[in-house]
Amino acid sequence: MNLWLAAGLALMVAGLGPALYLGARGDALQRLIGLELSSTLTVLILLLLARGFDQSSYLIAPLVLAVLSFAGILVFTRLLEPQP
């Protein structure tokens, strides 16, 4: 296990757990913050794992996830809008 994989594992344990908990509990604003935090952390974890395994082809998934998570957050906030 190299330093990149150890950093990915530490970020997975220390960061992703609380972000998922925040996304599952609380009011709508807290769930939105948890969703944004978990998507950002997931992109970072996948980038660290791609670097740790030294496979440049693994970089496709986090780059696509970064774009799609932004679109997903926009849809989520649109659904939170009060209905007339």
Side-chain angles (χ1 to χ4, degrees), residues 21-35 76 80:
Y21 178 78
L22 185 62
R25 303 280 181 181
D27 60 349
L29 182 62
Q30 288 179 342
R31 290 193 309 262
L32 178 64
I33 293 170
L35 176 67
F76 187 76
L80 286 178

Side-chain angles (χ1 to χ4, degrees), residues 1-26:
M1 178 178 281
N2 57 20
L3 182 63
W4 298 104
L5 294 176
L9 180 65
L11 194 59
M12 222 181 295
V13 171
L16 202 56
L20 291 176
Y21 178 78
L22 185 62
R25 303 280 181 181

Side-chain angles (χ1 to χ4, degrees), residues 32-69:
L32 178 64
I33 293 170
L35 176 67
E36 289 185 24
L37 183 61
S38 64
S39 65
T40 303
L41 288 174
T42 303
V43 168
L44 289 174
I45 289 168
L46 289 174
L47 285 172
L48 286 171
L49 292 177
R51 178 70 177 146
F53 290 129
D54 200 24
Q55 295 288 326
S56 63
S57 62
Y58 290 175
L59 291 175
I60 295 170
L63 295 178
V64 169
L65 179 63
V67 173
L68 290 180
S69 67

